Amino acid sequence: MAHFVPRASFSLPGSIPKTYFLGHHHSGANAIKGILNTINLVIECRDVRLPLSTQNPKLESLVAGRQRLIVYTKSDLCTDSPAATHTLRGLYGADNVLFWDKHRPGTTGALLRKLKNSARAIDALTGLRIIVVGMPNVGKSTLLNALRSAASPEKKAKAAKTGDQAGVTRKVGTSVRIVDSEEKGGVSGGIYLLDTPGIFQPYVEDGETMIKVALAHGIKKGLIADEILVDYLLYRMNHWNPGLYSRYCEPTNDVNEFLTAVAKRDGKLKAGGAANWQEAAARVLSLWRIGKFGRYVLDDLSDEAIRAHQHLLVNPHLSQNQAKKLQREERRRARTGD
């Protein structure tokens, strides 16, 4: 058998959208800005698989100068990238970063202890007021519910609605008390959290970033075809370890060959036995999102990539008004088929 050589690069289709900054994102950003003066601490959630791609220049400008704790969510999905956690801790300092996994109560407990320490430090009669921000579908509402449940196990109902698609939370929520003011341990005034809608970047120059965000369910399903997402995932798996999909086929650079193998093995077939590539693609993405095709960080965390990303945060490609104009043009083209 000839030695397998993965593709050196991924060819980005011209159909990849460059913005997903919707009306409720704009409204949410304004609402966050309006209440920041009442907030003691900002928790910014980022998907640990996309630690750079889910850092939003819009949010950076909103919360600049505020005390902030960065929570990397879904940490159970990056266990094949141990160097990533070390790099991210080094960027911000161990005291300002926490890796959170909803399946591991100990990570919720660690975060709760950090919040109680912050509450004791300010000793405010009104309590510690926290706002949870981040890109769409990075786990903000799930985190809030986990904290509330850990602090008050008797409270069974969810305080915030959750889902596996972007855009479940559409507006800033009401204050949710997660620690009572008389809680043993000396937290004065209690601890209160406010959930917020996911705020997308006004403009994304790099189509690869949009594909990565779509892989993590950060934009509406269907904006990028599942087959394109699987083709990119295949490209990345071939560089990580082609054995990740060995139960389906030998290493390949052909996404149709891969999807055909998935369809045959997992029963995603049309009448007559032909492979249903659409259903096979949906199956692949579902498996990847729960870690069945490796648990890797998708972003490049080399020194060069981090420097370029930090420069982009300070100097975004377009202003918000320019980005909104681009979005209107893209919507017009989608309607007219241009």
Side-chain angles (χ1 to χ4, degrees):
M1 182 184 300
H3 177 67
F4 175 70
V5 179
R7 285 173 283 181
S9 61
F10 183 79
S11 180
L12 290 166
S15 60
I16 303 300
K18 292 190 174 182
T19 181
Y20 186 64
F21 192 70
L22 306 179
H24 67 274
H25 297 166
H26 179 66
S27 299
N30 286 339
I32 291 170
K33 184 178 180 180
I35 62 174
L36 273 176
N37 285 338
T38 69
I39 298 300
N40 305 108
L41 175 67
V42 175
I43 292 180
E44 183 187 348
C45 293
R46 302 178 193 168
D47 188 323
V48 75
R49 297 167 296 177
L50 302 169
L52 304 185
S53 297
T54 53
Q55 183 181 8
N56 186 346
K58 180 67 178 176
L59 288 174
E60 284 296 311
S61 63
L62 278 176
V63 304
R66 300 281 172 176
Q67 183 182 355
R68 176 167 45 166
L69 176 64
I70 298 169
V71 174
Y72 288 104
T73 61
K74 310 180 187 183
S75 62
D76 57 315
L77 297 176
C78 79
T79 54
D80 295 329
S81 301
T85 56
H86 177 75
T87 298
L88 295 171
R89 280 196 180 96
L91 279 176
Y92 302 103
D95 290 342
N96 301 314
V97 171
L98 187 136
F99 293 86
W100 183 70
D101 173 6
K102 68 179 180 180
H103 304 294
R104 293 174 57 206
T107 60
T108 304
L111 176 55
L112 194 56
R113 287 192 294 274
K114 278 183 175 287
L115 300 185
K116 289 178 180 178
N117 288 338
S118 294
R120 295 185 187 107
I122 65 168
D123 196 30
L125 292 176
T126 55
L128 180 72
R129 289 176 56 82
I130 305 167
I131 191 168
V132 186
V133 303
M135 293 265 282
N137 204 32
V138 292
K140 300 180 302 298
S141 300
T142 302
L143 178 68
L144 187 152
N145 289 330
L147 284 168
R148 182 171 182 263
S149 177
S152 305
E154 72 279 2
K155 296 177 181 177
K156 300 297 184 182
K158 290 183 177 181
K161 186 178 179 182
T162 61
D164 64 356
Q165 280 286 328
V168 173
T169 303
R170 291 295 183 110
K171 59 183 180 179
V172 174
T174 55
S175 234
V176 175
R177 185 172 61 192
I178 61 168
V179 175
D180 293 334
S181 59
E182 301 302 322
E183 194 253 354
K184 185 178 179 181
V187 176
S188 175
I191 299 177
Y192 300 84
L193 261 67
L194 286 87
D195 194 17
T196 66
I199 308 297
F200 204 81
Q201 303 177 45
Y203 180 75
V204 180
E205 173 67 25
D206 181 14
E208 186 174 358
T209 295
M210 289 296 284
I211 287 178
K212 290 187 290 186
V213 171
L215 274 171
H217 259 161
I219 62 175
K220 183 180 178 181
K221 179 177 172 58
L223 288 181
I224 301 176
D226 284 355
E227 291 90 333
I228 293 174
L229 299 181
V230 172
D231 193 19
Y232 178 77
L233 181 61
L234 178 65
Y235 160 72
R236 296 300 300 269
M237 286 194 293
N238 282 336
H239 283 272
W240 294 329
N241 173 15
L244 289 167
Y245 57 90
S246 61
R247 64 185 177 276
Y248 292 110
C249 63
E250 294 294 320
T252 178
N253 288 315
D254 186 337
V255 67
N256 293 336
E257 180 182 343
F258 174 52
L259 288 174
T260 298
V262 172
K264 289 180 177 178
R265 190 183 189 283
D266 290 355
K268 305 300 181 182
L269 304 173
K270 298 178 181 179
N276 187 323
W277 287 344
Q278 290 77 24
E279 288 191 7
R283 169 69 171 165
V284 169
L285 296 177
S286 177
L287 290 173
W288 180 79
R289 287 166 180 153
I290 59 173
K292 297 300 183 181
F293 284 114
R295 297 168 185 261
Y296 292 89
V297 170
L298 286 167
D299 283 339
D300 178 4
L301 293 181
S302 66
D303 290 345
E304 181 181 0
I306 290 172
R307 283 195 299 269
H309 174 73
Q310 290 173 335
H311 175 77
L312 190 60
L313 290 175
V314 179
N315 303 282
H317 288 293
L318 293 180
S319 70
Q320 182 173 316
N321 287 337
Q322 289 172 317
K324 290 169 69 175
K325 181 180 179 181
L326 175 65
Q327 185 179 50
R328 289 195 296 268
E329 291 174 352
E330 288 196 350
R331 287 176 175 171
R332 180 190 61 78
R333 284 197 298 271
R335 289 194 302 269
T336 61
D338 291 349

